[in-house]
């Protein structure tokens, strides 16, 4: 999920509420959450870069991205796993992906009764610093960054789960279903009242692909003159859970349905490419026939 959306609920990243602007500049691009119902989540800060240049520029990107991911710490300093990538797009020369990975724990242990992402999330005002243990000669230091201490684990787990739910609802279309999962600082008001021609009619399309029903929205556009339909949606029962605010039930069922995704990927009832993620979201594209040509008579005013 987008790191800014998740972190914004705990730390002011923009605007007049920022406590130390220079201390919130560095942050990862994404937070990767690995989850399984009833078990602690594991969080990995992630930064992704890309270049058309060759050679050493990828090293520069990796160094800069490493500073980004080091800004987030789950629990004690230097115990969080991180992942950094730099992708070289070389045209006829192919694609090269450089990867840096730092090991660590990154888990969010908590009592089972704290695993309730259905409850509304409130913004916190956590000071943007990280506690670095001292040495024999120096005491503990505070440096810029975002650190979750054990007493904040339940809140942060809910923040991640609800940010993920907001992303899925936004992917299927619409503002109101997305707004229910966001705090004021994350943009709740924007999604609650934001409607225009592109988002006013939403979550109004359902397709059956690979024997499973998906609900979402579609967009029709031209690509090099060819009409294309792009459908973005979520498996129907999972969509119902998130529409009605049942995040924990969504996670349980999404995990249980994983064995069925393979059949959807081998679909033969959709004339085009299909991309299905483990969370039950789908993107399907296909070419559309050209509509009958009509002549338009222009009248001079």
């Amino acid at each position: 999920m987008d790191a800014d959306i998740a972190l914004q609920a705990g730390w002011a990243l923009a605007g007049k509420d920022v406590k130390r602007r220079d201390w919130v500049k560095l942050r990862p691009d994404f937070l990767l959450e690995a989850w399984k119902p009833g078990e602690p989540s594991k969080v990995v800060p992630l930064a992704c870069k890309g270049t058309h240049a060759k050679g050493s520029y990828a090293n520069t990107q990796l160094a800069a991205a490493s500073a980004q991911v080091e800004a987030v710490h789950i629990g004690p300093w230097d115990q969080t796993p991180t992942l950094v990538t730099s992708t070289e797009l070389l045209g006829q020369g192919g694609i090269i992906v450089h990867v840096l990975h730092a090991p660590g724990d990154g888990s969010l242990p908590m009592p089972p009764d704290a695993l309730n992402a259905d409850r509304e999330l409130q913004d916190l005002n956590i000071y943007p610093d990280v506690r670095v243990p001292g040495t024999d000669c120096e005491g503990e230091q505070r440096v810029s960054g975002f650190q979750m201490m054990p007493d904040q684990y339940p809140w942060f787990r809910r923040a991640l789960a609800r940010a993920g739910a907001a992303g899925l609802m936004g992917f299927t279309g619409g503002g109101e279903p997305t707004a229910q999962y966001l705090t004021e600082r994350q943009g709740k008001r924007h999604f609650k009242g934001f409607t225009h021609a592109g988002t006013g009619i939403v979550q109004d399309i359902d397709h059956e692909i690979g024997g499973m029903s998906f609900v979402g929205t579609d967009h029709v556009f031209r690509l090099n003159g060819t009409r294309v339909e792009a459908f973005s949606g979520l498996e129907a029962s999972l969509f119902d859970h998130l529409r009605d605010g049942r995040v924990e039930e969504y996670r349980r069922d999404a995990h249980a349905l994983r064995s069925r995704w393979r059949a959807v990927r081998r679909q033969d009832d959709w004339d085009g490419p299909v991309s299905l993620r483990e969370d039950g979201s789908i993107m399907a594209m296909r070419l559309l026939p050209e509509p009958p040509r009509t002549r338009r008579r222009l009248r001079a005013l």
Side-chain angles (χ1 to χ4, degrees):
M1 66 204 67
D2 186 278
D4 281 8
I5 295 297
L7 295 176
Q8 190 84 273
W11 297 264
L13 304 181
K16 60 182 178 59
D17 295 329
V18 179
K19 295 182 178 180
R20 289 201 56 171
R21 202 167 300 275
D22 57 326
W23 279 35
V24 297
K25 286 183 178 179
L26 283 179
R27 47 188 185 264
D29 298 322
F30 305 98
L31 294 177
L32 175 64
E33 182 196 8
W35 53 265
K36 184 177 181 180
E39 296 190 11
S41 296
K42 186 169 184 176
V43 182
V44 180
L46 171 64
C48 304
K49 306 299 178 185
T51 178
H52 291 280
K54 294 182 179 180
S56 61
Y57 188 66
N59 297 333
T60 302
Q61 289 187 325
L62 292 173
S66 296
Q68 289 180 246
V69 296
E70 284 293 332
V72 172
H73 293 260
I74 311 297
W77 175 78
D78 205 28
Q79 297 297 312
T80 304
T82 60
L83 186 63
V84 172
T85 68
S86 175
T87 303
E88 293 183 55
L89 304 174
L90 303 178
Q92 297 298 322
I95 298 175
I96 301 175
V97 181
H98 305 268
V99 180
L100 286 179
H101 168 59
D105 183 17
S107 61
L108 294 170
M110 62 195 71
D113 58 354
L115 298 176
N116 189 356
D118 298 351
R119 290 190 293 119
E120 186 177 357
L121 189 73
Q122 299 297 326
D123 285 322
L124 297 184
N125 292 293
I126 306 172
Y127 196 79
D129 66 1
V130 176
R131 302 174 185 178
V132 181
T135 63
D136 294 338
C137 301
E138 299 180 355
E140 180 182 79
Q141 297 182 7
R142 299 290 184 96
V143 298
S144 61
F146 311 92
Q147 186 173 25
M148 271 60 64
M149 303 309 291
D151 61 330
Q152 297 161 342
Y153 287 171
W155 173 89
F156 189 57
R157 190 261 182 185
R158 283 171 53 218
L160 293 173
R162 292 180 70 84
L168 288 171
M169 285 289 93
F171 184 69
T172 59
E176 288 283 348
T178 304
Q180 67 177 315
Y181 293 114
L182 299 175
T183 68
E184 293 298 328
R185 204 157 56 207
Q186 287 174 321
K188 184 186 188 79
R189 184 181 304 175
H190 170 81
F191 282 94
K192 199 169 185 178
F194 184 60
T195 302
H196 61 61
T199 60
I201 303 175
V202 295
Q203 298 172 329
D204 56 348
I205 299 294
D206 61 271
H207 285 296
E208 185 168 313
I209 302 175
M212 299 185 73
S213 295
F214 295 87
V215 178
T217 188
D218 66 352
H219 302 274
V220 177
F221 55 94
R222 288 191 177 273
L223 186 62
N224 294 330
T226 302
R227 293 178 73 234
V228 178
E229 176 189 9
F231 169 70
S232 57
L234 189 66
E235 193 276 332
S237 65
L238 302 181
F239 172 84
D240 290 343
H241 289 325
L242 291 185
R243 179 198 58 199
D244 298 335
R246 301 189 298 266
V247 182
E248 297 293 352
E249 200 166 348
Y250 155 77
R251 288 196 165 200
R252 287 193 295 269
D253 287 359
H255 190 271
L257 284 171
R258 290 185 309 156
S259 61
R260 298 188 61 186
W261 300 147
R262 188 174 301 174
V264 178
R265 294 190 181 101
R266 295 198 303 265
Q267 54 73 35
D268 55 6
D269 52 0
W270 179 273
D271 189 19
V274 172
S275 175
L276 179 65
R277 289 179 43 163
E278 293 290 313
D279 57 13
S281 61
I282 192 170
M283 170 70 79
M285 303 181 70
R286 62 184 174 185
L287 302 181
L288 294 178
E290 289 292 332
R293 290 182 175 273
T294 59
R295 292 185 178 182
R296 294 182 179 180
R297 180 175 298 176
L298 300 179
R299 184 174 60 184
L301 299 178

